[in-house]
């Protein structure tokens, strides 16, 4: 599984990691954005083997920790172990986002970061985390960052199937599943496609 995302796009324009660890850590971020948490966690830990101070990888582990009860240690404990002074500006945005007390504070962090880092695919992706069901966000993200939009295309397929991005149309939704798969080699888009088919009662197709 390690090599499934090795040639992913860089979501962070600059990381605190060495070159090889940065490549793996960015791939971990892509898997995380695509909700493939076990793969993301494994890749982040692999990056930390190569560079134990890789902030991007440390932040990926801490971000996943609250969703993964068997990992041991809370998100706050993992954040406390990070040397904040060594983080890049983009990584520090994510550190502050994870440390925020509530959604309003996270909103302020994202808005400030977007103005300072308008070309950062990861900073832009943080807005989706504020409100994942804001389907209008995903076409805008895909237009601005087409090479990083695998997760956005996947969510656009849901927007269509939920009737939030035009008429409910599986054929149209499946086009965005294909776009997602063109950019990212991971299981989530297949799972999404199966969910869409099941919602139409096409259970055998969903199973396949």
């Amino acid at each position: 599984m390690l090599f499934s995302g090795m040639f992913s796009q860089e979501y962070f324009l600059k990381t605190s990691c060495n070159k090889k660890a940065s490549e793996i850590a960015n791939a971990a971020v892509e898997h995380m954005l695509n909700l493939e948490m076990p793969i993301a966690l494994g890749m982040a830990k692999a990056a930390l083997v190569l560079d134990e101070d890789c902030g991007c990888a440390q932040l990926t582990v801490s971000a996943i920790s609250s969703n993964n009860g068997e990992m041991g240690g809370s998100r706050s404990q993992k954040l406390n172990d990070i040397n904040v002074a060594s983080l890049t500006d983009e990584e520090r945005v994510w550190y502050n986002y994870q440390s925020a007390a509530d959604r309003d504070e996270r909103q302020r962090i994202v808005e400030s970061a977007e103005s300072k880092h308008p070309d950062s695919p990861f900073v832009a992706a943080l807005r989706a985390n504020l409100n994942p069901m804001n389907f209008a966000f995903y076409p805008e993200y895909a237009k601005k960052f087409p090479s990083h939009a695998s997760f956005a295309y996947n969510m656009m397929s849901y927007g269509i199937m939920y009737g939030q991005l035009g008429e409910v149309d599986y054929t149209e939704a499946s086009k965005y599943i294909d776009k997602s798969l063109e950019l990212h080699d991971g299981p989530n888009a297949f799972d999404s496609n199966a969910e869409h088919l099941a919602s139409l009662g096409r259970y055998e197709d969903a199973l396949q």
Side-chain angles (χ1 to χ4, degrees):
M1 297 297 272
L2 175 63
F3 293 97
S4 66
M6 284 293 285
F7 300 103
S8 301
Q9 297 292 328
E10 293 185 352
Y11 284 80
F12 283 79
L13 301 179
K14 185 177 181 181
T15 72
S16 58
C17 319
N18 65 37
K19 183 176 180 180
K20 183 54 67 176
S22 180
E23 182 180 359
I24 299 173
N26 270 284
V29 167
E30 180 168 273
H31 282 287
M32 182 193 69
L33 290 173
N34 278 281
L35 306 180
E36 297 157 356
M37 301 308 182
I39 304 174
L41 178 59
M43 297 191 84
K45 288 186 173 182
L48 289 169
V49 170
L50 296 176
D51 182 354
E52 63 182 11
D53 297 317
C54 176
C56 183
Q58 290 174 316
L59 288 161
T60 301
V61 172
S62 63
I64 294 172
S65 64
S66 65
N67 299 321
N68 200 329
E70 71 272 14
M71 279 185 55
S74 67
R75 173 179 294 177
S76 61
Q77 289 174 317
K78 290 178 172 59
L79 290 173
N80 286 337
D81 292 337
I82 296 174
N83 179 8
V84 180
S86 70
L87 299 178
T88 65
D89 288 345
E90 288 172 277
E91 289 172 336
R92 194 170 291 112
V93 169
W94 198 14
Y95 177 89
N96 292 335
Y97 183 93
Q98 292 188 43
S99 302
D102 53 37
R103 187 183 183 281
D104 288 341
E105 184 178 354
R106 290 192 292 272
Q107 177 86 32
R108 290 191 292 271
I109 289 168
V110 170
E111 290 175 353
S112 174
E114 285 174 330
S115 65
K116 294 177 181 176
H117 307 285
D119 297 321
S120 170
F122 181 79
V123 167
L126 277 178
R127 182 165 289 279
N129 200 55
L130 287 171
N131 182 8
M133 300 302 284
N134 176 19
F135 290 104
F137 164 81
Y138 300 104
E140 296 176 2
Y141 184 93
K143 183 177 180 180
K144 186 171 183 179
F145 300 106
S147 298
H148 299 79
S150 56
F151 78 95
Y153 286 134
N154 185 69
M155 290 302 293
M156 287 165 69
S157 76
Y158 279 96
I160 292 170
M161 292 302 291
Y162 292 166
Q164 297 295 312
L165 293 176
E167 297 293 325
V168 176
D169 184 341
Y170 171 74
T171 300
E172 188 67 18
S174 67
K175 293 178 182 178
Y176 289 105
I177 293 291
D178 291 340
K179 284 178 175 288
S180 179
L181 290 169
E182 287 173 6
L183 292 171
H184 174 67
D185 180 16
N188 189 51
F190 294 102
D191 177 75
S192 299
N193 193 32
E195 187 174 344
H196 299 335
L197 288 164
S199 73
L200 300 173
R202 295 170 57 181
Y203 302 117
E204 185 60 33
D205 291 337
L207 180 60
Q208 293 300 320

